[in-house]
């Protein structure tokens, strides 16, 4: 779904809100709702083709890991780093994430990490 963007996420939130059970909604869909869009926008073709359909069908759980004990949800203050391995195929991630919605039982974590210096990067 190349056209999927935040407008489509808005539609998802609006339609699910008709259940009028916010605690149930957050428990069932909170992590998925905030993780699918970055996965579609920044994920590889393989991720979009394999993980997104499984998540939308309820066959796996995806979550967004941004919050850190030092920065909270301030993305510019993130300290978790990702450095490429010498072969250039993988990243080694170092850092701490906390308070991840539905993180206790997720299959895939879409993590905000720093690949450059302070600020943007």
């Amino acid at each position: 779904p190349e056209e999927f963007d935040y407008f489509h996420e808005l539609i998802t939130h609006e339609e699910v809100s008709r259940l009028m059970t916010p605690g149930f909604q957050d428990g069932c869909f909170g992590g998925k709702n905030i993780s699918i869009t970055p996965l579609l926008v920044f994920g590889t073709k393989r991720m979009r083709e394999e993980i997104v359909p499984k998540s939308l069908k309820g066959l796996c759980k995806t979550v967004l890991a941004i919050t850190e004990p030092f920065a909270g949800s301030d993305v510019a203050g993130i300290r978790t780093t990702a450095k490429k391995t010498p072969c250039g195929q993988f990243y080694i991630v170092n850092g701490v994430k906390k308070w991840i919605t539905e993180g206790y039982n997720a299959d895939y974590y879409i993590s905000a990490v720093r690949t450059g210096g302070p600020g943007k990067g």
Side-chain angles (χ1 to χ4, degrees), residues 34-120:
I34 61 175
S35 64
I36 289 294
T37 301
L39 189 56
L40 288 169
V41 174
F42 301 109
T44 64
K45 181 179 179 189
R46 182 176 175 191
M47 290 175 182
R48 291 190 301 271
E49 290 176 353
E50 291 181 19
I51 299 170
V52 171
K54 283 175 34 180
S55 180
L56 294 175
K57 290 176 185 175
L59 301 174
C60 71
K61 285 201 176 205
T62 56
V63 297
L64 184 63
I66 293 177
T67 307
E68 296 183 355
F70 310 106
S73 295
D74 174 17
V75 179
I78 284 176
R79 295 184 186 178
T80 300
T81 60
K83 306 261 188 223
K84 276 201 173 186
T85 57
C87 70
Q89 286 188 292
F90 307 101
Y91 282 93
I92 297 175
V93 177
N94 286 299
V96 178
K97 298 293 181 182
K98 292 183 87 169
W99 306 295
I100 301 168
T101 303
E102 292 186 68
Y104 63 93
N105 67 347
D107 298 296
Y108 298 96
Y109 296 81
I110 293 80
S111 297
V113 298
R114 183 165 300 287
T115 57
K120 290 184 178 181

